[in-house]
Every structure is written in C-alpha cells, then in structure tokens.
C-alpha cells in the first residue's frame, strides 16, 4: 500500500497520459485539457521524456502524478509486455499514484495477463478493452489503401464490431476524471458487426467512389509490409492480429460504451462520412 507521505506528494489532479502522440493518447490529453485538468504528456518528445524501452525515464514522469493512462506500445501481446507493466505499476505505487486506466485488447490472452497485474495492485483501476479501430482507415495503416481504392488485406470473412477512437477516448477520460469507474472492465465495440467487404461498401458510399476489398494471402500481406519497411513492431502486431485474433472470438457487440458514458457507440457509417468530409481519404496533391 502507498504511504500517507507518498499520497501527499501527488497532485490531486495531475494526470500522466502515455502514448500522448498516438490515436487514443492525443485525444485523451486534449479532452483532459478541455476540462482544465493538468496533464503530463508521456512520449519520447515530451519533457520529461517517456520511453517504454527505457525504464530510467519512468520515475521522472510519475513524480507528482495522481492518475495515469497506460497505453503500452506497440501492444500488450508483445513478448515482455507483462514485465514492463508489472514494473511500471510498482513504480506508480511507489510514487503514490491513485488511479490507473489501462488500454487493453479484446480477446487477447496476453493482454488479460497485464490486466490482472493492474487489478492486483494497491491502486484503483479501470480496464478499457478495444480491438479494431475505425481510424485505422483514416489515420493508420490502411489509409493509403482507401485512397488507392483497394483494401488489400488478408483474406477473411469474419465480422468485427469496429470501434471509434473518439468513443475509446471518451471512456478513458471519464474513467480518469469522474467517479464511479473504479474496478470496472469496459469491453468496447461499435454497434454493428462488419466484414471487410462491408467496410469497403461503407467507405465507397462515404467517399463517392469505388473502394474494394481485395483479399490477399497472409504471407503476401506480411511480406508487403516488410518490403515497405514498416517498423518491425508494427509488422509483428498486424501479423498477430490477422493470424490470431481475427478468428471470430470477438464477433459480438457489447454495451461497454453505454455502460461507461450513457450513450450509444458511434457507427462506422457516421465515422466514414465525417472522415470523408475532412478530406482524410483524398490522396495528397
């Protein structure tokens, strides 16, 4: 347990947001700042800097912090993730952190091992599980495919309940800044199950041009990523997701967004229309 001295050293509000430049982290940080809550950005470019592969950077980032959003990069399924989470949580206890919110993966056994580490700590915690993000098509690995009109991904007819990153961020912020979320596990999904063919149809309607799903062999997909010099850790995660997690285990919708926020999750169709209106799917001139 934390000591009174350690608790007194922590600000009543200062929140550490790890992965502060990523899809969820930058949204979480922005929303917390909109609430006028003090935020410490956890990233390599921040001061103090934070790097998951450099434990020496963690203490400075945790000093004076009362709550932290844990976003492990690249994925909690990676070898060594449990060791990193265990050490980070111990440091958080030492520094008197009073709340942890962990972004976890749906249907990932390795991620759930990390969840248990957080839940077993002396710190109040909330687990937020999510899998396939809508924004992968506008901000991530698949955006160039949409722009080219061909979603070339491994062959699969599995339907997934794609989740919007804005919904994920709203749940995380609620867990960090509002009472009533301690001890909760929020399994987040969108409102519909969608195959890659379904996604291509939705993107075609949103963009006003044909976007097709072009299935390819898994090995060809991974080989293409390597040929394009995609970072090794990103290749590992995509290989893991397509080869392991995309097997139907997550083919069901949940009420996680409604339980956490009291509203429905955003539909992929609304996301696609909004993203199209910003020009996200248009190739650079």
């Amino acid at each position: 347990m934390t000591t009174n001295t350690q608790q007194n050293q922590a600000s009543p509000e200062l929140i550490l947001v790890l992965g502060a430049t990523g899809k969820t982290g930058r949204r979480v940080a922005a929303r917390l700042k909109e609430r006028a809550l003090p935020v410490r950005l956890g990233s390599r470019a921040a001061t103090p800097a934070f790097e998951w592969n450099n434990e020496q950077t963690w203490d400075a980032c945790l000093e004076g912090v009362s709550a932290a959003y844990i976003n492990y990069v690249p994925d909690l399924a990676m070898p060594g993730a449990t060791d990193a989470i265990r050490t980070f949580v111990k440091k958080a206890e030492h520094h008197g952190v009073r709340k942890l919110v962990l972004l976890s993966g749906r249907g990932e056994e390795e991620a759930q091992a990390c969840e248990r580490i957080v839940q077993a700590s002396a710190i109040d915690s909330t687990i937020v599980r999510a899998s396939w993000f809508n924004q992968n098509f506008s901000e991530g690995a698949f955006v160039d495919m949409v722009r080219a009109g061909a979603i070339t991904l491994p062959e699969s007819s599995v339907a997934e309940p794609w989740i919007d990153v804005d919904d994920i961020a709203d749940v995380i912020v609620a867990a960090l800044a509002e009472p009533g979320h301690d001890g909760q596990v929020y399994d987040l999904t969108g409102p519909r199950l969608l195959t890659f063919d379904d996604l291509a149809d939705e993107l075609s309607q949103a963009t006003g041009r044909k976007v097709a799903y072009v299935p390819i062999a898994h090995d060809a997909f991974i080989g293409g990523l390597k040929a394009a010099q995609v970072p090794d850790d990103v290749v590992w995660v995509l290989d893991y997701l397509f080869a392991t997690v995309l097997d139907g285990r997550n083919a069901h919708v949940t009420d996680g967004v409604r339980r956490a926020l009291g509203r429905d999750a955003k539909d992929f169709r609304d996301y696609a229309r909004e993203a199209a209106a910003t020009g996200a799917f248009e190739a650079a001139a």
Side-chain angles (χ1 to χ4, degrees):
M1 296 293 291
T2 54
T3 66
N4 290 334
T5 301
Q6 289 170 327
Q7 290 178 344
N8 291 337
Q9 288 174 344
S11 160
E13 297 179 334
L14 182 60
I15 300 172
L16 172 64
V17 177
L18 300 184
T21 60
K23 291 186 189 69
T24 61
R26 61 184 174 82
R27 287 173 166 86
V28 169
R31 283 161 168 75
L32 291 171
K33 289 178 180 179
E34 287 171 2
R35 295 180 179 224
L37 293 171
V39 175
R40 175 173 292 157
L41 303 181
S43 74
R44 292 177 181 176
T47 302
F50 181 92
E51 296 184 48
W52 275 113
N53 61 359
N54 183 1
E55 185 183 324
Q56 301 305 312
T57 65
W58 302 359
D59 285 295
C61 290
L62 284 165
E63 187 171 354
V65 165
S66 65
Y69 166 48
I70 305 175
N71 178 11
Y72 184 79
V73 178
D75 193 273
L76 289 176
M78 285 284 288
T82 52
D83 291 337
I85 295 300
R86 184 176 292 107
T87 301
F88 182 87
V89 169
K90 286 181 179 177
K91 287 181 177 291
E93 288 176 332
H94 174 76
H95 283 277
V97 175
R98 298 191 293 279
K99 180 63 188 274
L100 296 173
V101 177
L102 175 72
L103 180 63
S104 186
R106 295 186 72 226
E108 296 182 20
E109 230 176 279
E110 300 88 346
Q112 289 171 15
C114 294
E115 293 176 13
R116 290 190 289 272
I117 293 169
V118 173
Q119 292 167 323
S121 75
I123 305 173
D124 289 333
S125 64
T126 304
I127 306 299
V128 178
R129 293 175 181 163
S131 188
W132 299 91
F133 296 176
N134 294 347
Q135 279 73 8
N136 287 344
F137 291 99
S138 55
E139 302 174 21
F142 309 153
V143 61
D144 288 335
M145 298 179 188
V146 180
R147 291 169 178 168
I151 301 174
T152 51
L153 293 174
E155 185 171 2
S156 174
S157 60
V158 173
E160 281 282 328
W162 291 68
I163 180 71
D164 198 271
V165 175
D166 286 325
D167 285 340
I168 300 171
D170 285 344
V171 172
I172 292 165
V173 169
L176 287 167
E178 300 171 4
H181 301 282
D182 292 349
Q184 294 294 321
V185 176
Y186 293 122
D187 194 343
L188 306 186
T189 73
R192 286 190 293 155
L193 292 171
L194 298 164
T195 65
F196 286 127
D197 277 321
D198 296 330
L199 295 167
D201 288 342
E202 294 289 354
L203 290 165
S204 296
Q205 294 179 38
T207 60
R209 56 183 173 79
K210 180 63 175 176
V211 178
Y213 168 47
V214 181
I216 61 174
H218 181 86
D219 289 346
F221 173 68
I222 297 301
L225 295 176
K226 293 178 178 178
Q229 297 184 326
V230 173
D232 290 344
D233 56 355
V234 176
V235 173
W236 189 96
V237 170
L238 289 172
D239 188 6
Y240 170 77
L241 290 174
F242 279 103
T244 304
V245 179
L246 191 63
D247 62 357
R249 69 183 68 184
N250 291 327
H252 58 277
V253 299
T254 69
D255 64 349
V257 172
R258 174 159 287 282
R259 283 201 303 116
L261 303 175
R263 63 166 176 80
D264 293 332
K266 181 183 290 187
D267 189 80
F268 186 89
R269 181 172 299 165
D270 296 323
Y271 149 76
R273 289 173 176 171
E274 292 171 10
T278 69
F281 302 133
E282 301 299 322

